[in-house]
Amino acid sequence: MEVLISALVLGSVYGLVAIGISFTWASIGMLNLAQGFIFTAGGYAAYLFSQFAQDRGIEGPAMSVGLILSGMLGSAFMGFLVGGLAFAPLQDRPNFRTRSLIATLAISLIGTQVWLLVFGPQNKPLPPIFGDGKVVIGNASVSYGQLGAIIVAVLMLGALILWMRASRAGLQMRAMMMNPLGAAVVGVSVRVTGMRVLAISGAFSGLASVLLAQVFFVSPTSGVQPLTVGLIISLAGGLGSLPGTVIAAGLIGLAEALTARYLQQSLVPFVLFGIVVLILIFRPRGLGGLLEDVRE
């Protein structure tokens, strides 16, 4: 049971990052390697808010909500900034995908050094969002932090799906994901929609950063692991496929939890890369392509 809970937590957190990567690729054809930098920005934004709140005696639900919102807003702003540097100036240039890949990689490398200079190499803790208690399920105990991370991630995913189905901006995003050229022909602004996608994917990474910081800490390189696993999940799920990404997030989370529990933590990267290689060998379009074949 403890392994299953750990898998759900990891899958939920990494899935938020992977969904942002997948959406960005599907809608604007950009593989955002600065997602780890954006992830770290959310953690530091939440840390700065926690310092501000503690100095003024803010605690309880106000502190918890503030941590989540500040993390999401900080990463959304950085996602918008990455869009202004790597998407808007390059979107109509030849070889946009290659140019944007190099640009986001440069932003990631430079951004890590900026975090190091501004905040130093020390890890920064965040106050607990969901409290310090535990819930006993069978013969296993689940901390409030683990349970809260799963619930919040699922709720945010559901809110995103509803927003994409019901709002005009969401419909424009779906049109871009299905047929970018056709969407542009009927009047959907590629740049406006692209910047919106980068901000939303950034907000999801910020939420993931705050949730993961309940177990780990915020540091200049804290976004490296989520970026790596997010890319693995996106590839395994099929870039642009929301159902495939969700299934892949659960599978990768379970694989990491089992490997760390019964083998060694150092073997986790090898196991995860092995899984994605096997999936892509037999299903080049990822698990999303498998789901499409089943529906057909």
Side-chain angles (χ1 to χ4, degrees), residues 113-173:
Q113 297 305 311
V114 170
W115 297 139
L116 187 62
L117 291 173
V118 174
F119 294 99
Q122 295 81 10
N123 294 333
K124 308 295 184 183
L126 291 185
I129 296 176
F130 307 104
D132 298 318
K134 293 184 178 181
V135 176
V136 178
I137 302 177
N139 58 353
S141 61
V142 184
S143 69
Y144 287 168
Q146 291 175 314
L147 191 61
I150 296 171
I151 293 174
V152 170
V154 171
L155 289 177
M156 287 303 300
L157 177 59
L160 176 65
I161 294 174
L162 290 176
W163 179 78
M164 291 186 65
R165 290 182 177 273
S167 68
R168 181 181 181 85
L171 292 175
Q172 290 175 344
M173 283 179 56

Side-chain angles (χ1 to χ4, degrees), residues 9 11 24 26 40 42 56 68 70 75 98 103-105 118 136 141 157 162 164 168 171 180 184 186 233 251 279 283:
V9 173
T24 304
T40 307
R56 285 155 181 78
I68 292 175
S70 60
S75 284
T98 303
T104 54
L105 177 60
V118 174
V136 178
S141 61
L157 177 59
L162 290 176
M164 291 186 65
R168 181 181 181 85
L171 292 175
V186 298
I233 293 173
L251 177 63
I279 290 175
R283 306 298 311 181

Side-chain angles (χ1 to χ4, degrees), residues 26-109:
S27 57
I28 60 178
M30 174 177 165
L31 191 60
N32 186 8
L33 295 185
Q35 202 74 21
F37 161 73
I38 296 170
F39 177 97
T40 307
Y44 278 127
Y47 169 75
L48 292 176
F49 172 81
S50 70
Q51 298 300 301
F52 171 84
Q54 288 172 356
D55 290 342
R56 285 155 181 78
I58 300 174
E59 56 185 16
M63 170 69 86
S64 299
V65 173
L67 287 172
I68 292 175
L69 291 180
S70 60
M72 294 182 69
L73 289 174
S75 284
F77 174 77
M78 284 300 173
F80 196 83
L81 178 63
V82 169
L85 295 173
F87 170 68
L90 304 175
Q91 181 266 326
D92 55 355
R93 301 285 185 88
N95 299 319
F96 163 69
R97 292 184 175 180
T98 303
R99 291 171 182 260
S100 63
L101 186 72
I102 296 172
T104 54
L105 177 60
I107 292 172
S108 178
L109 296 175

